[in-house]
Amino acid sequence: METQRVDLDQPIWNLSTFTGRLQYYAWITNPLLSIQSESTLFSAKDLVQKYRAGTEPPGTTVTQIRRAQQLYLSAFHPDTGELQNVIGRMSFQVPGGMVLIGAMTTFYRSNIAVIFWQWANQSFNALVNYTNRNAAADISKKQLGFAYISATSCALVTALGLKAVLSQRASPIHQRFVPFAAVCASNMVNIPLMRQSEIQNGVVVTDEDNNPVTKSKYAAFKGIGQVVFSRIVICSPSMVLLPFLMEKLEKTAFMVRYGRYVNAPFQILLSGLSSITVDKLKIIDSEAYEEVKSKYGDNIPKKLYFNKGL
């Protein structure tokens, strides 16, 4: 009996709904995917490519091809098809972010600790931003270096400046929010600078059939803005709730006695395609709209799609 084929270009879940998008991104960002070997990942890529060409091994099941697709989507860049470095993959965000958030919310009292952990966090962010950039928009090493230095400087100025002010005028609980303020400020600098070529040149937008239509600066601005907002939201639960929780726990008898040894591990444990309408394109990015109009005439699609990055 012949196994029913699946269309790998059609999402398993309905991505027009929040629940569908949540299921999809939970599927491809599962932290366990970050510990798969390169040989396993390349085997998955090979199977996906063979399946698309109709040359997969006889007896390949839907379960096998979906697993291969999950591995492929988690580890290979959607634009270039190249294997991403493991630290920059979105599947590594949970374990990597847990360590950094836990450390930043624990070691915030000394300037040396603030400097080190903000630098470590910005180095991690820079690698993630570069790994998940829109590869159709190139960026030079000079631009990368400027973005990295600017974001790190912004984080340090924010963190050290707030620390100096709050240490004299605010309660200890307010001082615990210094790392979160630094993360928010640096994200607003790091991501736009790391992807500045997209802002300058625009990103490729496609129609529903994934055919390239034009380049749009509006799509670049929208995509980068969405990424900045989502990065801040992602770290908010841990960095906003942890200060209140730790302020209470550190007063318990157990933490008073053993806090020196368990504080950092405890905090680490606790922190555990976009679209644009053509109507907006016409108003905000008229040059791109005219190119769309010249290609489609009176049959202009209502929506265009682009890779906003992660």
Side-chain angles (χ1 to χ4, degrees):
M1 181 179 177
E2 186 177 354
T3 303
Q4 184 179 2
R5 299 190 67 79
V6 296
D7 186 352
L8 297 181
D9 293 323
Q10 292 299 317
I12 303 174
W13 299 277
N14 182 3
L15 300 186
S16 65
T17 66
F18 172 78
T19 302
R21 292 192 295 272
L22 179 63
Q23 290 175 304
Y24 172 75
Y25 283 109
W27 186 56
I28 65 170
T29 60
N30 185 333
L32 294 177
L33 298 174
S34 64
I35 61 175
Q36 300 296 318
S37 66
E38 284 195 12
S39 60
T40 299
L41 295 173
F42 277 108
S43 294
K45 179 181 180 180
D46 183 61
L47 180 57
V48 168
Q49 291 175 334
K50 287 181 177 178
Y51 191 84
R52 287 184 180 279
T55 58
E56 74 278 4
T60 300
T61 65
V62 172
T63 301
Q64 290 173 324
I65 193 62
R66 285 303 189 189
R67 174 60 176 173
Q69 183 187 26
Q70 181 188 28
L71 291 169
Y72 175 75
L73 292 173
S74 76
F76 292 88
H77 197 283
D79 294 336
T80 65
E82 296 178 352
L83 181 66
Q84 299 173 313
N85 69 82
V86 64
I87 296 177
R89 295 175 202 163
M90 295 310 293
S91 58
F92 192 75
Q93 278 285 286
V94 171
M98 283 174 64
V99 171
L100 289 167
I101 290 175
M104 285 189 292
T105 53
T106 300
F107 307 110
Y108 65 92
R109 290 184 174 88
S110 74
N111 288 340
I112 293 178
V114 169
I115 292 171
F116 175 79
W117 286 110
Q118 287 297 332
W119 166 80
N121 184 54
Q122 289 314 308
S123 299
F124 178 70
N125 286 341
L127 186 56
V128 171
N129 294 337
Y130 177 75
T131 301
N132 295 281
R133 73 197 185 285
N134 186 314
D138 196 16
I139 184 170
S140 67
K141 292 182 179 179
K142 183 178 180 181
Q143 290 173 317
L144 284 174
F146 179 72
Y148 173 66
I149 293 172
S150 299
T152 304
S153 301
C154 178
L156 290 176
V157 168
T158 303
L160 294 175
L162 278 177
K163 181 177 179 298
V165 172
L166 295 179
S167 62
Q168 299 177 353
R169 305 180 183 180
S171 64
I173 185 64
H174 289 105
Q175 296 176 42
R176 289 180 180 270
F177 289 100
V178 168
F180 180 55
V183 168
C184 292
S186 60
N187 269 324
M188 293 178 186
V189 173
N190 193 334
I191 297 172
L193 285 177
M194 190 65 68
R195 299 172 59 176
Q196 58 190 281
S197 61
E198 297 176 36
I199 297 174
Q200 295 167 352
N201 305 316
V203 296
V204 175
V205 294
T206 64
D207 59 20
E208 291 183 353
D209 298 321
N210 204 33
N211 298 311
V213 177
T214 184
K215 279 191 172 183
S216 169
K217 294 180 181 179
Y218 165 56
F221 274 104
K222 180 178 180 180
I224 291 172
Q226 289 174 334
V227 171
V228 170
F229 177 74
S230 64
R231 292 286 181 85
I232 292 174
V233 170
I234 286 171
C235 68
S236 294
S238 298
M239 302 195 80
V240 172
L241 297 178
L242 266 179
F244 292 108
L245 182 59
M246 293 308 299
E247 187 74 9
K248 295 290 185 182
L249 288 176
E250 286 180 357
K251 296 176 181 178
T252 64
F254 175 81
M255 291 297 287
V256 169
R257 184 174 181 180
Y258 299 105
R260 176 175 17 175
Y261 309 104
V262 302
N263 199 321
F266 191 69
Q267 295 210 45
I268 290 172
L269 178 64
L270 290 175
S271 63
L273 289 176
S274 191
S275 65
I276 54 175
T277 63
V278 173
D279 289 339
K280 284 189 177 179
L281 191 70
K282 181 179 181 180
I283 298 171
I284 301 174
D285 199 343
S286 58
E287 185 177 338
Y289 173 78
E290 290 301 323
E291 188 172 348
V292 175
K293 187 177 179 181
S294 67
K295 284 188 177 182
Y296 289 90
D298 295 330
N299 299 316
I300 298 177
K302 292 183 178 180
K303 282 188 176 183
L304 297 173
Y305 304 87
F306 62 98
N307 172 22
K308 69 177 178 61
L310 292 174

